[in-house]
């Protein structure tokens, strides 16, 4: 029997280096790295990790802004056979420590911007020895620079890694309680690169712009797809709409991945109408639902090659392709190539088309499980009648007869008022139709008669242009009787995760805290008729 090789994404770096060594692989500002250097530098990191005792079974933490060095670390860690643990810089100091401890990180790489987050908490992380704190782009007391860490190390290829071993642990939130680490294998991430790359039309001449943090799982869709085909990655440490548009024109960017807040910023930037976006073959929106008006403006003013992805890091994905937006407005598309989506009821029975239930999915890039949490992993599994296993998403939605999926919101966010199920996403879509509303979150709050009642929290485009009572009437006139809002209130800002997704639990807690502590500002809910 022949031993068929198992090719992983990191192994392809050496292939690209051999086939087109002088082609540019990475760009940051005026700095470029060709594929030969990319291969050499990632191998150097891998050898340095191995020499320091970190390889298969080791978890390597990285808390860093986007840069060439942070991209090299992703693939250097992978070549060493170790597991990359990205740490979200938006977390609080304590949340960062909790995450690092939960992931059992053995060595930590940190960029200067985040050094203060962990510097004073070293005693809380005894697993990381004093000589295993590495500065990315800096050095100082108690820090070894990345440059000195890899100094003198070899650049030769390392033995191939086990494709079933873990390549990354992404953390789902880490904002409250014990965070959940999502373990993905080399095989899973290779399938992610293949399937998304195929759907999005990645080729060796593709230029992918990374505008979201590498610590976010969704960022890896563009990054891995570009590496898989041997394209070019443009790295930007910090997003601004003006800078993004300039980079697209300068580097003839073909693929970009953005979150709704970034897309909103782009359509509000005066530079958009004069920007050259003709090179864009695919712009992908990820992270949370995109307002219909934003989607319409992006397609009309930026590019018609617009995709919207719905999914969870654990393992689910649908794609709304360019031709779907007009045909199926409001849909998040159909299952990604090679994936399957079903809708089940509370008893775990698959429902008929157009019936709302929990979305479950089966994908080739499914997670291995939550790190160190087998019980919580088991709770996510749904087994179909044919014996195949799917993962529950915790989201409510429906699927029509053609396979198009419509998301109604998080299962835990559903509001039950007077026995009726109310889906916040439906109400939010109506509120966002008002031209003065920039952003909205609908939450359920306690009501003495109905159990719960919906409240709308809005961030306005310009304060004072409309009274909240007028907005409330405008919205309720467009809602079903059971959906009507108890009130609409101005909210200055919403808490978000790394990809800009609203954190509804935090928003609800903030609202209820304000209501309970300041009843003169937020009046008790009236016992109105539905």
């Amino acid at each position: 029997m022949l031993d068929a090789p198992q090719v992983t994404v990191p192994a392809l770096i050496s292939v690209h280096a051999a086939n087109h060594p002088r082609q540019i692989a990475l760009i940051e500002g005026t700095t470029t790295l060709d594929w030969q250097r990319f291969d050499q530098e990632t191998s150097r990191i891998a050898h340095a990790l191995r020499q320091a005792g970190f390889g298969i079974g080791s978890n390597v933490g990285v808390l860093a802004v986007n840069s060439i060095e942070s991209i090299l670390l992703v693939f250097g860690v992978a070549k060493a056979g170790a597991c990359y643990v990205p740490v979200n810089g938006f977390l609080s100091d304590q949340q960062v420590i909790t995450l690092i401890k939960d992931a059992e990180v053995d060595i930590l790489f940190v960029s200067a911007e985040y050094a203060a987050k962990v510097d004073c908490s070293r005693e809380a992380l005894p697993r990381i020895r004093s000589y295993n704190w590495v500065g990315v782009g800096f050095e100082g007391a108690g820090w070894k620079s990345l440059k000195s860490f890899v100094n003198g190390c070899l650049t030769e290829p390392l033995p191939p890694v086990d494709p079933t071993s873990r390549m990354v642990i992404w953390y789902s939130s880490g904002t409250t309680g014990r965070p959940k680490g999502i373990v993905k294998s080399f095989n899973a991430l290779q399938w992610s690169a293949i399937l998304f790359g195929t759907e999005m039309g990645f080729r060796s001449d593709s230029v992918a712009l990374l505008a979201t943090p590498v610590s976010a799982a969704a960022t890896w869709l563009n990054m891995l797809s570009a590496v898989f085909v041997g394209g070019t990655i443009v790295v930007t440490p910090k997003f601004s709409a003006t800078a993004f548009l300039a980079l697209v024109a300068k580097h003839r960017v073909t693929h970009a991945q953005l979150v709704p807040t970034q897309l909103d910023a782009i359509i509000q930037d005066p530079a958009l109408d004069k920007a050259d976006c003709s090179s864009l073959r695919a712009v992908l929106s990820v992270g949370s639902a995109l307002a219909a008006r934003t989607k319409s403006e992006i397609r009309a003013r930026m590019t018609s090659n617009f995709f919207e992805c719905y999914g969870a890091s654990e393992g689910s994905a649908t794609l709304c392709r360019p031709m779907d937006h007009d045909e199926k407005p409001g849909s998040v598309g159909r299952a990604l190539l090679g994936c399957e989506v079903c809708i089940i009821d509370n008893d775990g029975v698959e429902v008929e088309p157009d019936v709302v239930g929990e979305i479950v999915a089966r994908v080739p890039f499914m997670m291995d499980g939550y790190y160190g949490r087998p019980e919580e992993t088991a709770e996510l599994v749904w087994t179909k009648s044919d014996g195949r296993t799917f993962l529950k998403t915790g989201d409510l939605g429906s699927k029509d007869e053609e396979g198009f999926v419509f998301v109604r919101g998080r299962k835990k966010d559903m509001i039950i008022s007077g026995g009726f199920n109310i889906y916040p996403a439906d109400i939010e879509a109506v509120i966002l139709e008002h031209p003065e509303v920039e952003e909205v979150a609908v939450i359920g709050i306690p009501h003495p008669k109905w159990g719960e009642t919906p409240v709308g929290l809005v961030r306005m485009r310009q304060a004072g242009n409309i009274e909240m009572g007028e907005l409330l009437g405008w919205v309720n006139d467009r809602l079903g009787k059971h959906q009507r809002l108890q009130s609409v209130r101005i909210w200055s800002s919403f808490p978000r995760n790394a990809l800009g997704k609203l954190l509804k639990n935090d928003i609800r807690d903030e609202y209820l805290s304000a209501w309970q502590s300041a009843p003169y500002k937020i009046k008790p809910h009236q016992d109105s008729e539905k």
Side-chain angles (χ1 to χ4, degrees):
M1 294 287 292
L2 294 176
D3 180 21
Q6 297 292 313
V7 179
T8 61
V9 174
L12 288 173
I13 295 173
S14 299
V15 175
H16 300 320
N19 291 343
H20 40 83
R22 300 305 174 201
Q23 181 174 316
I24 300 301
L26 298 175
I27 300 173
E28 181 192 356
T30 58
T31 304
T32 62
L33 221 65
D34 61 28
W35 276 100
Q36 184 177 71
R37 282 286 307 284
F38 189 15
D39 186 35
Q40 291 171 344
E41 295 304 321
T42 50
S43 292
R44 201 187 306 276
I45 291 171
H47 280 290
L49 285 166
R50 287 286 185 93
Q51 288 179 20
F54 305 115
I56 298 169
S58 299
N59 292 340
V60 178
V62 180
L63 173 58
V65 297
N66 285 9
S67 65
I68 283 180
E69 288 81 5
S70 63
I71 304 298
L72 292 175
L73 279 168
V74 171
F75 297 99
V77 170
K79 283 186 174 184
C83 179
Y84 183 93
V85 182
V87 184
N88 177 5
F90 292 112
L91 298 177
S92 71
D93 297 3
Q94 184 54 54
Q95 290 164 351
V96 166
I97 300 305
T98 301
L99 187 155
I100 292 171
K101 291 175 71 173
D102 186 81
E104 299 179 305
V105 165
D106 301 304
I107 180 171
L108 185 64
F109 294 82
V110 182
S111 63
E113 294 83 355
Y114 299 128
K117 276 187 175 291
V118 291
D119 226 352
C120 61
S121 303
R122 296 192 181 209
E123 291 183 2
L125 299 168
R127 186 183 181 94
I128 305 175
R129 304 292 180 85
S130 60
Y131 45 82
N132 289 327
W133 295 74
V134 184
V136 181
F138 79 100
E139 59 184 354
W143 292 95
K144 178 189 297 183
S145 70
L146 176 58
K147 183 177 180 180
S148 63
F149 179 72
V150 303
N151 187 42
C153 289
L154 300 173
T155 60
E156 282 76 13
L158 284 81
V161 300
D162 178 1
T164 65
S165 62
R166 63 178 182 264
M167 180 177 170
V168 67
I169 303 176
W170 288 312
Y171 275 81
S172 55
S173 174
T175 55
T176 56
R178 185 184 173 197
K180 292 185 292 187
I182 299 165
V183 179
K184 288 290 185 82
S185 69
F186 285 84
N187 264 345
L189 292 174
Q190 175 172 293
W191 275 112
S192 173
I194 293 170
L195 299 176
F196 270 99
T198 300
E199 289 270 23
M200 305 292 290
F202 271 86
R203 307 192 303 251
S204 60
D205 63 348
S206 295
V207 180
L209 176 53
L210 300 191
T212 51
V214 175
S215 59
T219 305
W220 290 47
L221 300 177
N222 256 7
M223 180 176 70
L224 291 179
S225 296
V227 171
F228 189 84
V229 298
T232 300
I233 295 174
V234 179
V235 185
T236 177
K238 188 176 180 180
F239 173 84
S240 80
T242 304
F244 171 86
L245 293 168
L247 288 171
V248 169
K250 178 179 180 179
H251 298 296
R252 306 300 296 161
V253 170
T254 61
H255 291 76
Q257 176 182 296
L258 298 156
V259 297
T261 52
Q262 293 173 327
L263 290 164
D264 282 333
I266 288 171
I267 63 173
Q268 292 174 37
D269 194 308
L272 175 59
D273 291 325
K274 294 183 179 179
D276 181 3
C277 297
S278 59
S279 61
L280 290 170
R281 299 177 198 157
V283 170
L284 176 66
S285 176
V286 297
S288 58
L290 185 66
R293 66 172 176 231
T294 302
K295 185 186 300 186
S296 177
E297 288 204 47
I298 287 292
R299 294 176 62 212
R301 298 170 57 201
M302 185 177 177
T303 181
S304 60
N305 300 322
F306 183 74
F307 297 74
E308 188 173 11
C309 177
Y310 157 77
S313 303
E314 288 87 343
S316 62
T318 68
L319 198 61
C320 193
R321 300 156 179 91
M323 70 289 291
D324 299 331
H325 300 297
D326 294 327
E327 181 183 347
K328 295 285 182 175
S331 170
V332 293
R334 288 187 276 207
L336 186 77
L337 179 68
C339 305
E340 184 176 354
V341 172
C342 297
I343 312 293
I344 61 173
D345 63 19
N346 289 333
D347 296 320
V349 177
E350 195 169 357
V351 301
E352 296 294 320
D354 300 318
V355 175
V356 174
E358 182 172 4
I359 301 170
V360 297
R362 177 179 173 85
V363 300
F365 43 89
M366 199 119 43
M367 72 171 182
D368 289 351
Y370 290 128
Y371 187 70
R373 306 176 86 166
E375 297 83 5
E376 293 190 41
T377 302
E379 290 173 2
L380 287 188
V381 177
W382 174 72
T383 304
K384 198 171 182 177
S385 56
D386 59 11
R388 294 180 301 141
T389 56
F390 289 65
L391 286 183
K392 300 175 184 176
T393 65
D395 289 331
L396 292 170
S398 60
K399 187 174 72 169
D400 68 15
E401 291 184 349
E402 296 177 272
F404 285 91
V405 176
F406 297 80
V407 178
R408 310 293 287 273
R410 295 291 292 167
K411 189 175 183 180
K412 62 184 178 182
D413 291 337
M414 185 178 71
I415 302 165
I416 303 177
S417 184
F420 289 95
N421 292 342
I422 298 175
Y423 307 106
D426 294 347
I427 303 175
E428 289 165 352
V430 171
I431 298 174
L432 283 170
E433 291 175 4
H434 195 285
E436 295 298 327
V437 176
E438 179 73 22
E439 193 170 25
V440 61
V442 170
I443 59 172
I445 60 172
H447 190 282
K449 180 175 181 179
W450 308 115
E452 285 184 299
T453 192
V455 166
L457 308 177
V458 296
R459 188 166 63 82
M460 308 302 291
R461 289 186 180 273
Q462 187 173 341
N465 278 11
I466 184 172
E467 294 293 329
M468 288 301 98
E470 182 184 345
L471 178 60
L472 178 64
W474 185 93
V475 172
N476 281 344
D477 284 346
R478 290 161 173 76
L479 294 174
K481 192 174 181 181
H482 67 290
Q483 296 175 308
R484 289 173 185 166
L485 296 172
Q486 188 267 344
S487 64
V488 177
R489 303 193 183 278
I490 293 177
W491 222 244
S492 58
S493 63
F494 295 113
R496 307 173 182 278
N497 66 11
L499 281 179
K501 188 173 184 179
L502 299 185
L503 301 175
K504 284 287 185 76
N505 283 345
D506 291 3
I507 294 169
R508 187 183 295 105
D509 291 346
E510 186 179 336
Y511 177 87
L512 292 176
S513 175
W515 172 41
Q516 292 165 358
S517 64
Y520 57 89
K521 291 183 179 179
I522 303 177
K523 297 178 181 179
H525 317 301
Q526 301 299 313
D527 189 16
S528 56
E529 292 297 324
K530 288 282 181 183

